[in-house]
Amino acid sequence: MLAAMPPTSASSPKQGESLIRDRGDACPGALRLHRADDGLLARLRLPGGLLTGRQATVLALAAERLADGDLSITSRGNIELRGLGDACGAELSALLADAGLLPSERHERVRNVVASPLAGTDGTGHADVQLWACELDGLLCAEDWTPRLSGRFLFVLDDGRGDVAGLGGDVTLIAESGGTAVVGVGDLTYRVAGSDAPRAALAAAKAFLAAAHAAGNGAWRVRELPADQPVDLAGALEGAGVEAVRVGPGAVSPGGPPPPGVIGRAVSVHAPLGRVTVAQWRALLPLPADELRVTPWRGFVIPGFGDDAAARERLAVLDGAGLLTAPDSPWLGVGACTGRPGCAKSLADVRADAVPGHGSLPVHWSGCERRCGHPHGDWVDVLATGDGGYEVTLHAGGTTVPVNGGGTLTETVTTARTTTKPTATR
């Protein structure tokens, strides 16, 4: 086990040049830990965000016994433990392995699979992509070549409702009516049988690795490939025995995160600023269907309640525990990086400085220009400037616009969150 990781670097490209990755990917994992100012950090991949009741209990134990007592949720629906001691590695890995959370030590950092968290619960999607996520995870862990994927390479599995399709996946699967799916890599999209979707996603990842090797720039993600470097997705699908037809880009309607509340026989809640205490985590238990789904919007879906009354009773318990249970909560959509004192690069204690506010756009408070964990799509950027202040910027429609609300920071952020059409670029 590596107690701490070396820094990574990428040569900054000049205008019109491609990014050059000249070191290996040091993205943290459950076995390869990152040293932060508040101790070691472990990041545990959860394909589809899925946990059993026993696995959730083990994570609470690990946070309580080995870490700082909190669990952080990432923008990919994974879990981070912070404040780990230098000597905890063997105990942590043993706990996780015993709970079935480490099916392969060699593959644990490449199990990056996001799936529609309500799939199979409300009759809205075209396929239960959570089943695809489980199958894809098994395929990833069975191959010798998949550990060559970066720890940042992302598979996105959308059941057709459009909730996760826009989350910046390197390989995207979108379920269609009629039992088919569209697999996409960059601008390439092919229609395949739904039963072949996980194998198609694996083949797409292999096609990316071949393209990255040919490009020679050390690309970790599809968007880092040079513009003139093709990805032979058709050839990879044929080689995997997957019948495919070239189609245009999917026309899935954009969706959003499941709102807090009772949705069918499931309960949806969000974690304030993406972090929960062990007590809040344990309030999620017991699980009626032995399944907890961690969402990429830093929340949870608990499926399988027998009736509406039972679901509402659990929602009330979670509200009392301090989780976000109402769709009009002013903290909904407000996120933050770790900030001080946990991160040496941060210029502020952003989690303490973050303020609530109403508006449709998500807002993310960042302690430095890396903006770790910021949302995809349109969002409000609140960046620490190092002098005790913050710069508020709107990222929307491919443009970046500074925002001046003409009042307090809270008023400025609210102005930005309610803006839908930027008027200037920077």
Side-chain angles (χ1 to χ4, degrees), residues 13-381:
K14 297 179 181 179
Q15 189 78 22
E17 292 182 351
S18 298
L19 177 75
I20 303 296
R21 295 284 189 187
D22 53 14
R23 291 190 185 181
D25 170 29
C27 196
L31 302 179
R32 189 175 191 176
L33 307 185
H34 169 74
R35 185 174 297 281
D37 271 17
D38 57 352
L40 296 176
L41 176 152
R43 181 177 299 156
L44 179 62
R45 270 70 172 182
L46 305 176
L50 296 181
L51 286 168
T52 66
R54 179 169 178 267
Q55 290 171 337
T57 299
V58 166
L59 285 181
L61 180 64
E64 193 171 51
R65 181 189 297 175
L66 305 176
D68 62 6
D70 291 342
L71 299 100
S72 298
I73 310 169
T74 76
S75 60
R76 294 182 170 189
N78 295 321
I79 294 295
E80 288 184 348
L81 300 174
R82 302 189 65 94
L84 294 162
D86 287 346
C88 77
E91 185 176 0
L92 175 62
S93 60
L95 277 173
L96 299 178
D98 184 61
L101 290 167
L102 289 176
S104 170
E105 293 186 4
R106 291 185 60 232
H107 299 81
E108 63 100 3
R109 291 193 310 138
V110 301
R111 302 169 67 224
N112 294 301
V113 184
V114 169
S116 300
L118 287 174
T121 69
D122 61 356
T124 297
H126 299 310
D128 188 349
V129 294
Q130 293 287 347
L131 299 178
W132 290 358
C134 291
E135 184 178 346
L136 175 58
D137 183 39
L139 293 172
L140 284 169
C141 291
E143 295 289 344
D144 289 336
W145 58 266
T146 50
R148 301 206 313 267
L149 293 169
S150 159
R152 306 184 189 191
F153 192 89
L154 178 63
F155 297 88
V156 168
L157 282 52
D158 193 298
D159 69 356
R161 74 183 69 215
D163 57 346
V164 299
L167 294 186
D170 295 286
V171 174
T172 301
L173 288 178
I174 300 178
E176 298 182 303
S177 61
T180 58
V182 171
V183 56
V185 176
D187 294 332
L188 292 174
T189 49
Y190 285 80
R191 178 170 288 117
V192 301
S195 57
D196 289 334
R199 287 196 300 125
L202 187 74
K206 194 169 189 178
F208 160 76
L209 281 179
H213 178 74
N217 70 331
W220 294 345
R221 307 202 61 190
V222 170
R223 64 172 177 260
E224 296 175 359
L225 291 172
D228 59 353
Q229 176 60 57
V231 176
D232 186 12
L233 180 54
L237 292 171
E238 182 179 2
V242 175
E243 294 186 7
V245 177
R246 179 76 182 269
V247 295
V252 61
S253 298
V262 176
I263 305 174
R265 296 296 173 85
V267 166
S268 169
V269 295
H270 290 234
L273 296 178
R275 189 175 295 179
V276 296
T277 65
V278 167
Q280 290 173 323
W281 182 270
R282 286 186 170 136
L284 298 163
L285 306 173
L287 304 173
D290 196 33
E291 188 175 290
L292 176 66
R293 301 183 180 186
V294 186
T295 79
W297 303 280
R298 297 180 170 90
F300 307 95
V301 167
I302 309 174
F305 287 93
D307 53 47
D308 186 73
R312 294 197 177 280
E313 182 178 350
R314 176 61 61 83
L315 189 68
V317 170
L318 296 175
D319 182 69
L323 295 171
L324 306 181
T325 61
D328 60 350
S329 169
W331 283 104
L332 202 62
V334 181
C337 69
T338 297
R340 289 179 178 173
C343 178
K345 295 183 180 295
S346 181
L347 302 176
D349 185 350
V350 292
R351 302 183 69 82
D353 292 345
V355 295
H358 292 284
S360 59
L361 289 181
V363 57
H364 190 73
W365 294 69
S366 300
C368 76
E369 292 186 352
R370 294 185 304 167
R371 298 172 170 85
C372 294
H374 72 75
H376 288 274
D378 297 348
W379 61 287
V380 178
D381 177 18

